[in-house]
Amino acid sequence: MCERVNTCDWEYSWCPPGHVFRGSCWCEVSNMLNYVELPGLYVNVDLEIVCAFDHIHAHIIGRQPGALCLMLTNPTRFDATVRVLVERESDLARPLGQMSLVGCQELRVPAGQCVELLAQPRGTKCMPA
């Protein structure tokens, strides 16, 4: 992965137009940190916040005490595996810490399909409806 794609011919002798040269770059580290630190779907059940970071659409379709019923839609041609982080308003007072997404529920959303989810805070299992 490289931050630069050569689109001109001024260095053509070693790097033709459109070529991506080999070598590590900051963008590799950035992608790794995004994977480790961002869930695919963030839900705050008390504030009714739903934020999708992956290529899915998510919206609230119902409410239960301490939980939100969500509809996740995958508009792409590829299956999605989405890590879901669910919190309460009181959880916002403490930092998540390192490796906070380890053990988060992962939900599979097939390409072009919808999946219902009953989102409940940590400490309870968050299972598909």
Side-chain angles (χ1 to χ4, degrees):
M1 180 178 290
C2 177
E3 69 176 333
R4 181 171 161 248
V5 175
N6 184 14
T7 58
C8 67
D9 61 358
W10 67 272
E11 43 187 28
Y12 187 77
S13 62
W14 68 275
C15 188
H19 179 74
V20 177
F21 62 85
R22 294 183 183 155
S24 289
C25 190
W26 66 268
C27 48
E28 292 174 347
V29 175
S30 177
N31 276 339
M32 289 187 288
L33 289 173
N34 282 330
Y35 180 78
V36 171
E37 296 177 349
L38 292 177
L41 177 66
Y42 173 80
V43 180
N44 187 304
V45 295
D46 296 332
L47 301 175
E48 296 187 4
I49 295 172
V50 177
C51 183
F53 294 97
D54 280 338
H55 295 289
I56 59 165
H57 298 227
H59 64 275
I60 299 170
I61 57 172
R63 292 159 185 82
Q64 293 184 8
L68 292 176
C69 300
L70 306 175
M71 177 65 69
L72 307 181
T73 306
N74 180 354
T76 72
R77 298 177 306 168
F78 305 97
D79 293 345
T81 302
V82 181
R83 287 182 299 169
V84 182
L85 176 61
V86 183
E87 291 186 316
R88 294 185 163 283
E89 185 176 14
S90 58
D91 294 328
L92 300 176
R94 60 183 166 79
L96 288 174
Q98 295 181 356
M99 305 300 288
S100 58
L101 297 180
V102 171
C104 263
Q105 177 198 9
E106 290 189 351
L107 182 66
R108 185 174 174 275
V109 185
Q113 295 187 26
C114 298
V115 173
E116 287 186 18
L117 172 72
L118 180 62
Q120 300 174 321
R122 293 184 202 186
T124 57
K125 284 289 183 185
C126 196
M127 303 301 276

